[in-house]
């Protein structure tokens, strides 16, 4: 067994034996014990299990240093690395990836689960088959009865919707769709839709889309 891939929160393991089919990605959570956040992520992944465009959790365990590890199925790279190596994607590939991403989000939303951190680094890709899978549910939540997620700690900066910048309580489904749209733009143009290093990125959104009015954003 050898380390063959390193992602933002995971390291991939696969077997050098040609006949071996087993492969897994090991995701480490540097936490003490098994806090609610880790248990929530495991339970949500199990709830969503079986969908072809959501990464499957195979096991979870804790080492002697009290780090919790999630063992998930292995894919070679994330979408960020894939775009960096392949350059601008072909339109047919962009449409295929977008379709798979929306299928994964539909599956989540039908089960009242919002991912809240959709970005290229959280989309795993098998370049040999063009299969795409949504991963890293560490910020995911199940919707409460109102449909709102009561926190602003959502989404990476480039994929965060305007209402989050403006301090609104995040509606998880709407946030996921905005983030997915940003990913689609990036796949088509090979450039982030709204890059920025701080909340000032909001002004770039307004420059592109226009300032919201009482009619468009009451």
């Amino acid at each position: 067994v050898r380390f063959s891939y390193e992602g933002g929160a995971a390291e991939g393991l696969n077997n050098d034996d040609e006949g071996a089919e087993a492969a897994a990605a090991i995701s480490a959570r540097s936490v003490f014990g098994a806090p609610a956040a880790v248990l929530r992520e495991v339970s949500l992944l199990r709830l969503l299990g079986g969908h072809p465009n959501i990464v499957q959790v195979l096991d979870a365990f804790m080492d002697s240093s009290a780090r919790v590890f999630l063992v998930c199925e292995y894919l070679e790279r994330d979408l960020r690395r894939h775009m960096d190596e392949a350059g601008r994607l072909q339109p047919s590939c962009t449409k295929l990836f977008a379709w798979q991403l929306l299928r994964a989000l539909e599956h989540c939303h039908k089960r009242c689960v919002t991912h809240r951190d959709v970005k290229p680094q959280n989309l795993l890709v098998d370049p040999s088959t063009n299969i795409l899978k949504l991963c890293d549910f560490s910020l995911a939540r199940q919707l409460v009865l109102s449909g709102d997620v009561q926190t602003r700690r959502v989404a990476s900066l480039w994929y965060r919707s305007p209402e989050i910048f403006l301090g609104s309580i995040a509606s998880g489904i709407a946030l996921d769709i905005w983030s997915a749209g940003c990913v689609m733009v990036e796949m088509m143009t090979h450039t982030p839709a709204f890059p920025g290093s701080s909340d000032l990125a909001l002004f770039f959104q307004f420059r592109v889309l226009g300032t919201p009015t009482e009619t468009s954003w009451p």
Side-chain angles (χ1 to χ4, degrees):
V1 176
R2 61 184 173 86
F3 285 101
S4 58
Y5 166 73
E6 294 184 1
E11 292 180 330
L13 292 168
N14 64 15
N15 199 307
D16 285 328
D17 296 336
E18 292 183 0
E21 297 180 357
I26 311 298
S27 178
R29 298 288 186 264
S30 298
V31 295
F32 181 77
V38 177
L39 297 177
R40 179 173 56 240
E41 182 175 2
V42 173
S43 66
L44 289 179
L45 282 168
R46 293 194 181 280
L47 172 66
L48 299 170
H51 192 275
N53 299 118
I54 295 177
V55 71
Q56 303 301 302
V57 60
L58 307 175
D59 198 2
F61 62 92
M62 184 183 298
D63 69 3
S64 58
S65 301
R67 289 190 306 168
V68 177
F69 292 82
L70 303 184
V71 183
C72 300
E73 63 179 316
Y74 172 81
L75 280 84
E76 182 178 337
R77 62 183 66 165
D78 61 37
L79 181 59
R80 163 64 56 223
R81 178 181 166 192
H82 185 67
M83 290 191 293
D84 288 344
E85 294 186 2
R88 183 174 296 184
L89 303 178
Q90 294 295 320
S92 58
C93 185
T94 296
K95 289 192 289 186
L96 178 59
F97 284 165
W99 175 69
Q100 293 179 86
L101 170 56
L102 293 176
R103 283 185 72 201
L105 291 177
E106 179 187 37
H107 183 74
C108 294
H109 296 164
K110 282 184 175 179
R111 285 152 184 80
C112 296
V113 174
T114 58
H115 186 276
R116 307 199 313 164
D117 197 18
V118 176
K119 59 183 178 180
Q121 292 89 335
N122 287 339
L123 297 168
L124 300 180
V125 172
D126 182 344
S128 65
T129 61
N130 280 339
I131 289 176
L132 177 143
K133 299 199 178 197
L134 182 63
C135 71
D136 192 350
F137 282 73
S138 57
L139 291 181
R141 296 290 188 276
Q142 281 195 287
L143 292 172
V144 295
L145 292 178
S146 67
D148 289 333
V149 180
Q150 308 294 321
T151 177
R152 290 187 63 204
R153 186 176 175 269
V154 293
S156 297
L157 191 64
W158 293 2
Y159 308 95
R160 193 174 297 170
S161 59
E163 57 265 34
I164 306 303
F165 283 118
L166 293 172
S168 291
I169 295 173
S171 175
I173 289 177
L175 172 63
D176 283 349
I177 298 303
W178 173 277
S179 300
C182 291
V183 171
M184 293 178 200
V185 170
E186 194 165 345
M187 286 193 291
M188 290 186 287
T189 65
H190 200 57
T191 302
F194 303 109
S197 57
S198 70
D199 283 4
L200 292 176
L202 171 67
F203 294 104
F204 185 68
Q205 292 182 349
F206 286 171
R207 188 173 68 183
V208 173
L209 302 175
T211 303
T213 65
E214 292 293 333
T215 301
S216 63
W217 194 51

